[in-house]
Amino acid sequence: MTENTQTPVWSLRNYPSVAWLWSGASVSVFGDALRRMAVLLTVYAVTDGSGMAVAGITLAEIVPMLALGLIAGVYVDRWDRRRAIILGNTVRGLLSLALVLAARSQSLGLVYVVIAASEAAGAVVQPAMTAIVPQLVPVAHLAQVNTLFVLSRQFSLLIGPVVAATAYRVIGAELTFLVDGGTFFVGAGTALAIRRPREVEKQAGSDETVGSTWWRDFLNGLARVRGDRLVMALLATIGLQSLGAGINNTVMIVFINRGLGRAASDIAWLSSANGLAQILAATVVAPLIRRRGTAGVLAGATITMLAGNAILAGSWSLFVLIVGVLITALGNSPFTIVHTTVLQQAVGPEYLGRVQGSLGTLAAVLFMAASSASGVAVDYVAARSLLIVSAGISASLVVVTLTRIVPALRAAKRLSSGRSPLRADD
């Protein structure tokens, strides 16, 4: 059961388990940001500034998601999700302590192994956190909870690298990794305070049994969502977003330097603008949903992102580029929050873990493919041309959203007369 049989006014005090989940997630997400920057600085120092060694960090982070995202999603649906969060964060804490040994021995191989293992544990924790939320709160409050998670992530991305760089200089890599390990232990500890969520009910006709195999469970879950046009459209939009983000991730620094004649370090201004805008946008998503409904907010978010990407592609100065980033970020937060909320509502709780795992794998594959391809292409074509391609992908995202997702959300609202799981539109 959720912690309130009647839906009260939204407040973390009304949902103590959500408060514990959010606080633990906030600390561990900060730990992720702290560790990434500390690892980057350590690898850069150990290898005397090797770009290939730095690129190896990205591979160590992405490959586990590619390999384990689908598997982890199935087992998240089988396991107690609260226990998965506890065990996953405990493992990540222990692995951060192993980075102390890697830093002391200056073993690059050990750093990569530890990072890959930590990301593998994270591949379990992330879908477990997403899938447990609908078990803890009524569907009417999913948007508020998802907003809290997005805000935590953006704050962590904003301050985590600065804190990590400062700690690295002041106390050194080894003590920084000790602090990082502590953040994951805190995340595991707060999960202990979560009340055991209501059990996930299996749908009639489900052939998931104690003796079923991972592959059978995965195919069963895939069959359940494959015929759902709304879910497939949601997967398509996250795929398109990942493609565009992968291009921008690689090309932007080149565009700043070669296209605008600015120092490559000026990309820091874009990171700060992105973080601040996403935080500001996230704070108004819930009120917007109450006024405009999920369909209206999602449509507005994708159109806003398209406008921002168009400005990025046409930028003639750093100031205009920052404006483009600000506008894109103002659409990005609402898109992420509403996308997650609709997915939680549209997918049955017994399949949410594997759908979330599939989504994470899809996003990682497409992001890496777009980032790699644009990294090769930018040496042969103008960076602006690739930003135009990214804007074109954003236009495709708008088309899918307006022609597939928005009509489905509005149809669900009309047909249900307010009783649909997608009632955030009401």
Side-chain angles (χ1 to χ4, degrees):
M1 296 291 292
T2 53
E3 294 179 359
N4 294 275
T5 55
Q6 296 182 350
T7 304
V9 175
W10 165 246
S11 170
L12 275 176
R13 288 179 295 180
N14 293 326
Y15 301 104
S17 288
V18 175
W20 285 113
L21 178 68
W22 171 68
S23 59
S26 300
V27 175
S28 58
V29 167
F30 175 76
D32 273 330
L34 189 73
R35 186 201 62 201
R36 284 190 175 97
M37 178 56 67
V39 166
L40 174 64
L41 295 173
T42 300
V43 169
Y44 195 80
V46 167
T47 62
D48 295 325
S50 169
M52 185 175 295
V54 171
I57 300 173
T58 301
L59 289 177
E61 291 175 340
I62 292 180
V63 169
M65 175 57 73
L66 301 182
L68 299 176
L70 300 178
I71 299 173
V74 170
Y75 285 106
V76 161
D77 288 337
R78 285 184 175 186
W79 295 338
D80 180 317
R81 289 159 180 170
R82 171 177 168 271
R83 187 177 301 169
I85 294 169
I86 295 169
L87 292 177
N89 276 328
T90 300
V91 169
R92 292 203 289 176
L94 293 173
L95 289 168
S96 287
L97 298 184
L99 285 172
V100 176
L101 298 177
R104 177 169 295 181
S105 63
Q106 296 191 345
S107 171
L108 193 61
L110 181 58
V111 169
Y112 290 151
V113 169
V114 171
I115 291 299
S118 184
E119 290 299 319
V124 174
V125 173
Q126 185 55 50
M129 284 189 172
T130 302
I132 201 175
V133 170
Q135 296 177 261
L136 299 175
V137 295
V139 68
H141 292 328
L142 286 176
Q144 287 92 333
V145 177
N146 291 326
T147 296
L148 287 175
F149 279 92
V150 169
L151 284 171
S152 297
R153 177 173 177 77
Q154 292 304 323
F155 271 118
S156 296
L157 293 176
L158 190 63
I159 67 173
V162 176
V163 172
T166 303
Y168 183 87
R169 289 194 301 268
V170 175
I171 63 178
E174 295 174 19
L175 289 179
T176 301
F177 289 131
L178 281 175
V179 173
D180 177 59
T183 64
F184 294 115
F185 290 129
V186 170
T190 55
L192 288 169
I194 298 173
R195 291 183 186 178
R196 189 170 297 278
R198 62 181 172 83
E199 292 296 323
V200 174
E201 298 178 0
K202 303 299 182 184
Q203 292 184 359
S206 171
D207 52 2
E208 294 178 25
T209 62
V210 175
S212 64
T213 64
W214 166 83
W215 183 244
R216 184 178 181 181
D217 283 356
F218 173 70
L219 290 179
N220 186 41
L222 185 63
R224 291 286 181 182
V225 302
R226 187 170 50 194
D228 190 319
R229 293 182 179 179
L230 174 58
V231 175
M232 295 306 293
L234 290 169
L235 294 176
T237 55
I238 204 66
L240 289 169
Q241 187 195 37
S242 299
L243 283 172
I247 293 173
N248 290 352
N249 179 71
T250 300
V251 171
M252 196 60 68
I253 191 170
V254 179
F255 180 66
I256 288 174
N257 184 235
R258 300 179 191 171
L260 301 180
R262 305 281 306 199
S265 59
D266 282 338
I267 196 170
W269 292 103
L270 304 188
S271 298
S272 297
N274 176 70
L276 289 173
Q278 292 214 39
I279 289 170
L280 292 174
T283 62
V284 301
V285 171
L288 280 175
I289 288 176
R290 287 194 294 270
R291 294 181 61 182
R292 301 295 183 183
T294 51
V297 174
L298 191 62
T302 54
I303 292 171
T304 301
M305 288 193 294
L306 172 58
N309 276 292
I311 293 173
L312 291 178
S315 296
W316 62 87
S317 69
L318 182 63
F319 174 78
V320 176
L321 197 66
I322 291 173
V323 171
V325 168
L326 286 170
I327 293 174
T328 303
L330 288 174
N332 199 297
S333 270
F335 174 84
T336 301
I337 293 167
V338 175
H339 189 281
T340 302
T341 301
V342 173
L343 192 68
Q344 289 169 333
Q345 296 168 345
V347 178
E350 70 277 22
Y351 299 118
L352 188 54
R354 73 201 74 176
V355 172
Q356 188 64 35
S358 300
L359 187 149
T361 300
L362 173 69
V365 169
L366 294 179
F367 181 90
M368 187 171 68
S371 183
S372 301
S374 58
V376 173
V378 78
D379 288 334
Y380 299 96
V381 299
R384 189 184 300 275
S385 298
L386 295 175
L387 292 179
I388 292 173
V389 171
S390 178
I393 292 172
S394 187
S396 299
L397 174 60
V398 172
V399 171
V400 174
T401 299
L402 296 183
T403 61
R404 298 294 181 180
I405 300 178
V406 169
L409 292 177
R410 289 176 175 165
K413 179 182 176 181
R414 289 194 302 270
L415 292 173
S416 66
S417 299
R419 293 186 295 274
S420 167
L422 298 172
R423 66 185 181 202
D425 249 356
D426 300 339

